[in-house]
Amino acid sequence: MRHMPAPRRATEIHAATLRILTERGYDGLTIEGVAAAAGVNKTTIYRWWPGKDELIADSVRESHLTRLDTPDTGSLRGDVEALLNQVADILTSPTGRSIAAATITDSNPAITAFARNVLGERAAIEQTVLDRAVGRGEIADTDARDLFVPAMGALWLRILVLREDPQVAHLADRVVKEATRGT
């Protein structure tokens, strides 16, 4: 992660990084390719990012492509479906698919740390959704991880591996059914 101001051409570098990642995938992305596409010297990139994993993580972070809004539809069912739809929209976009593939296939600490951060932010949103449902009397207090990890895992598997319809409404129903079990 950078601790200094971004280079003047950071916007172009980030855009080129995401474009190449989307078009060529993780293995097809090179610092030299990004530099050429952004119109900068590769030493400019290396001055700010030690390698492509840090560059990818920073480009995704700066783009807000993985940003989720906390839904507030007034019901647990509506909020869960809205949240799952946001994740599905990210994963089905070409850039989102490439980002997800990079987080799955690479074990570099920069990408792993970035993925954990994104998942931590998502977990906070999930818990907010559940806390609101508790406040409305829809469910008893519960841990978001217990409910959302299976649903998000199914979403990722259906979209990224099986390449099939994520069936968001069905997954939302399963989360709500599990959340209301015992209440």
Side-chain angles (χ1 to χ4, degrees):
M1 183 147 80
R2 288 189 325 259
H3 298 289
M4 303 183 309
R8 286 179 301 182
R9 305 283 311 268
T11 301
E12 292 88 348
I13 294 167
H14 289 144
T17 300
L18 294 176
R19 187 173 56 255
I20 293 170
L21 180 65
T22 301
E23 293 170 359
R24 300 183 196 154
Y26 177 83
D27 290 335
L29 187 142
T30 64
I31 297 297
E32 293 77 10
V34 171
V40 300
N41 192 307
K42 71 179 180 179
T43 57
T44 299
I45 295 176
Y46 282 118
R47 189 175 314 129
W48 295 92
W49 298 277
K52 79 176 185 177
D53 296 304
E54 293 82 6
L55 177 59
I56 290 169
D58 195 47
S59 297
V60 174
R61 185 177 19 262
E62 291 298 316
S63 74
H64 303 291
L65 285 169
T66 58
R67 186 176 153 261
L68 298 174
D69 295 320
T70 305
D72 190 3
T73 65
S75 74
L76 176 61
R77 171 68 174 72
D79 290 351
V80 169
E81 186 169 359
L83 184 58
L84 291 174
N85 271 316
Q86 287 182 71
V87 174
D89 287 347
I90 291 168
L91 294 175
T92 56
S93 74
T95 303
R97 184 181 300 279
S98 297
I99 292 165
T103 63
I104 291 170
T105 61
D106 192 76
S107 60
N108 182 285
I111 289 185
T112 301
F114 172 74
R116 283 191 181 130
N117 185 46
V118 168
L119 293 176
E121 291 169 1
R122 194 191 73 213
I125 291 170
E126 293 164 354
Q127 193 62 55
T128 298
V129 164
L130 294 181
D131 290 346
R132 285 182 184 154
V134 169
R136 291 187 300 259
E138 290 180 271
I139 60 171
D141 196 16
T142 189
D143 180 13
R145 285 184 73 128
D146 293 340
L147 293 175
F148 282 97
V149 166
M152 291 296 179
L155 198 64
W156 278 61
L157 179 68
R158 285 180 184 272
I159 292 171
L160 298 173
V161 177
L162 300 175
R163 308 269 183 179
E164 61 185 37
D165 181 339
Q167 300 182 5
V168 171
H170 176 70
L171 290 173
D173 288 340
R174 287 178 38 204
V175 170
V176 172
K177 182 177 179 181
E178 185 63 26
T180 56
R181 200 173 74 177
T183 47

